[in-house]
Amino acid sequence: MRISVIGCGYLGAVHAACMASLGHQVIGLDVDEAKVASLNSGVPPFYEPGFAELLDEQLAGGRLEFTTDPGRIAQAQIHFIAVGTPQLAGRYAADLSYVRAAVQTLIENVDTSKGPAVIAGKSTVPVGTARHIQDLCDESGNDLIVVWNPEFLREGFAVTDTVHPDRIVYGLPDDQDRAEVGRKLLDECYAELLATGIPRLLTNHPTAELVKVAANSFLATKISFINAMAQLCDATGGDVTQLAEAIGYDDRIGKKFLRAGVGFGGGCLPKDIRAFMARAGELGVDEALTFLREVDAINLRQRDKAVEMASNLLGGRFVGHKVAVLGAAFKPNSDDLRDSPALEVAQQIWSRGADLVITDPAAADALRSKLPNLNVVGTVAEAVAGADVVLLLTEWQEYRDLDPVELRAMVRTPNIIDGRNVLDPQRWLDAGWTYRGMGRLAGPAAARAQV
Ligand code: UGA
């Protein structure tokens, strides 16, 4: 099939390459010339494991191309919208200007003289957007059928999640005939995936839009729930890792997304729950989502908590102390700094006068250009040299594997804050460190709890 993808960020670029790998002829459209040039030369403009190889392979195969010229998408049968919907400055609501621009581009450029084309929405949008887009298309007279087809990929696993999704959702238009055309075209596009038995759910526009924000809200709620339990553990001498393990054996609860720490960040969960609350307010059902305010507040408190822990270890004063932060990206295997808990903790400590040094295996360059005032270094050894406290805030494997004995010889004062609860407290205590986890016991109390 001939396919276009509008917006070539983490979502769009990966989706375009994956669709090409399914045998389709794909053109990715973006307004950013540097990004398009980079993708066309096989250099991903962001860090995503496995993507560089896939991009190379598909460019070489001749089925994938990126362009800034909207005229090039005219003949495609399916047009995926994969542009960003960031939080509006100073508000909770999502910024839909990129979606509007994409729709306008499609209305003006897609040629439906030989038959209808499908707009498949992948971006996360406020419920009601798909119907509105369908209305705009209908008013334009261009025969475009809108299907909302939310994306559930995780950064760091984007390629795998796109070609092995756990479900595929089509939000179809109300008109039965058009819904049928839309379904058929998308079934053809995803035929190879559907043949493997991946569940495909057919629903209407609002349900499909809600599925996406409901999923992200649920995940955010799970994380804040366990972080609230971490606060209770801190107050009572409990251990949240053991608590999570114990409740996780109940498969109604499950073990995933119950890792306490400095909380969730990134370009999706935080802004999605806020946009969802804003939309509920517009719809007059804000009370239904009041709990998400608390989910957000618990999450942000974890960041403050890490700062306070560091302050306490330094006798209440950051001035005159060296602080090493390991990790800047919002999660490992990503260079994404958007709403990163690690970065916010680092910035708070820096603004309180510490001599702060930060490092990250993938995000260091992005960090240098985003925040030139921060002291960004390339290695753990440089970061921790002479430090009075070390904070592990993004759980990269190389940080999980750190040797406490080796590190002990590099720092000035052996204080470690394990902001992701991924270290073995006993190993660090044995090497002479003062260990602080998030809602986690260390030392003799932990040993008693193990019994
Ligand atoms: C999230 C969802 O997981 C995807 O399903 C969704 O498609 C995507 O948003 C999106 O809307 O595009 P992502 O933002 O890549 O994916 O990251 P996650 O893996 O969900 O992690 C989010 C944050 O939660 C990270 O900061 C991570 O460190 C944190 N987290 C995760 C915890 O603090 N504890 C956990 O137990 C799990």
Side-chain angles (χ1 to χ4, degrees):
M1 296 180 90
R2 293 169 72 111
I3 284 173
S4 89
V5 180
I6 324 292
C8 297
Y10 286 94
L11 167 58
V14 172
H15 191 72
C18 289
M19 291 304 104
S21 78
L22 296 180
H24 303 304
Q25 193 66 41
V26 184
I27 186 126
L29 177 71
D30 201 289
V31 290
D32 183 338
E33 287 189 12
K35 194 186 281 177
V36 164
S38 170
L39 286 164
N40 274 331
S41 61
V43 180
F46 48 82
Y47 178 90
E48 183 60 48
F51 178 56
E53 297 77 2
L54 179 73
L55 182 64
D56 252 358
E57 202 180 282
Q58 297 309 320
L59 289 170
R63 281 196 302 271
L64 178 64
E65 206 190 324
F66 296 89
T67 183
T68 53
D69 175 7
R72 299 280 312 281
I73 64 167
Q75 303 305 328
Q77 297 155 279
I78 300 182
H79 304 268
F80 287 99
I81 297 185
V83 294
T85 51
Q87 189 174 341
L88 276 171
R91 292 180 47 193
Y92 267 20
D95 177 355
L96 291 179
S97 56
Y98 304 105
V99 173
R100 274 188 224 110
V103 171
Q104 198 51 39
T105 301
L106 290 167
I107 287 176
E108 285 168 11
N109 290 283
V110 177
D111 175 8
T112 55
S113 56
K114 295 193 195 81
V118 163
I119 294 183
K122 291 233 148 266
S123 307
T124 304
V125 292
V127 56
T129 306
R131 274 193 180 146
H132 178 60
I133 295 175
Q134 184 67 73
D135 289 345
L136 291 175
C137 293
D138 295 350
E139 282 161 24
S140 76
N142 206 345
D143 195 1
L144 292 161
I145 297 171
V146 178
V147 179
W148 219 255
N149 175 221
E151 180 57 59
F152 305 101
L153 68 78
R154 298 158 298 167
E155 285 179 25
F157 301 91
V159 174
T160 321
D161 284 352
T162 305
V163 288
H164 304 289
D166 38 27
R167 75 286 208 193
I168 296 177
V169 176
Y170 300 168
L172 298 166
D174 296 328
D175 179 287
Q176 289 301 308
D177 295 339
R178 302 177 98 193
E180 194 48 21
V181 177
R183 181 193 65 75
K184 276 199 182 131
L185 279 169
L186 274 185
D187 275 356
E188 195 183 333
C189 172
Y190 291 132
E192 196 177 317
L193 308 187
L194 294 172
T196 64
I198 292 165
R200 183 209 59 181
L201 292 99
L202 304 182
T203 183
N204 62 6
H205 281 157
T207 311
E209 293 164 316
L210 284 168
V211 165
K212 172 62 197 241
V213 277
N216 275 2
S217 298
F218 193 81
L219 294 172
T221 304
K222 256 190 127 172
I223 300 169
S224 279
F225 174 84
I226 204 64
N227 281 330
M229 294 306 111
Q231 290 173 24
L232 266 294
C233 286
D234 271 339
T236 55
D239 185 300
V240 77
T241 12
Q242 293 171 359
L243 181 148
E245 191 188 349
I247 63 172
Y249 278 114
D250 180 337
D251 59 15
R252 293 171 301 174
I253 297 173
K255 289 189 180 170
K256 291 183 181 162
F257 267 65
L258 286 181
R259 295 190 315 273
V262 283
F264 60 82
C268 303
L269 263 46
K271 65 103 177 155
D272 284 355
I273 61 169
R274 291 174 196 150
F276 200 14
M277 284 186 267
R279 185 66 184 132
E282 287 167 7
L283 295 165
V285 287
D286 41 342
E287 279 175 8
L289 298 187
T290 318
F291 75 97
L292 287 179
R293 226 173 250 283
E294 204 45 48
V295 167
D296 201 8
I298 293 169
N299 190 51
L300 296 177
R301 268 205 301 276
Q302 292 301 99
R303 303 177 184 188
D304 298 341
K305 172 123 188 139
V307 176
E308 284 321 306
M309 277 170 138
S311 166
N312 291 341
L313 285 170
L314 299 174
R317 273 170 61 86
F318 282 114
V319 177
H321 287 118
K322 183 172 171 194
V323 177
V325 170
L326 307 184
F330 82 106
K331 67 173 187 179
N333 299 315
S334 168
D335 62 355
D336 197 340
L337 296 169
R338 286 176 294 173
D339 208 339
S340 165
L343 191 51
E344 191 185 325
V345 170
Q347 281 179 290
Q348 277 194 40
I349 293 177
W350 179 79
S351 67
R352 284 170 62 173
D355 170 11
L356 184 125
V357 186
I358 183 166
T359 187
D360 188 283
D365 287 344
L367 193 52
R368 282 190 193 99
S369 51
K370 188 179 161 104
L371 293 164
N373 284 336
L374 280 189
N375 185 2
V376 184
V377 295
T379 62
V380 171
E382 289 169 90
V384 303
D388 296 298
V389 59
V390 178
L391 292 97
L392 191 168
L393 299 179
T394 313
E395 68 277 31
W396 287 92
Q397 191 61 42
E398 62 182 88
Y399 300 161
R400 289 166 173 257
D401 295 341
L402 283 170
D403 181 345
V405 177
E406 269 176 34
L407 224 64
R408 171 75 183 85
M410 300 177 192
V411 297
R412 183 159 60 192
T413 326
N415 286 317
I416 177 90
I417 294 178
D418 180 5
R420 294 289 182 181
N421 287 349
V422 289
L423 302 175
D424 175 355
Q426 198 54 49
R427 277 187 75 212
W428 289 74
L429 292 169
D430 290 347
W433 290 79
T434 299
Y435 172 94
R436 296 277 184 277
M438 310 288 289
R440 209 174 177 200
L441 293 176
R448 275 201 306 279
Q450 301 277 357
V451 177

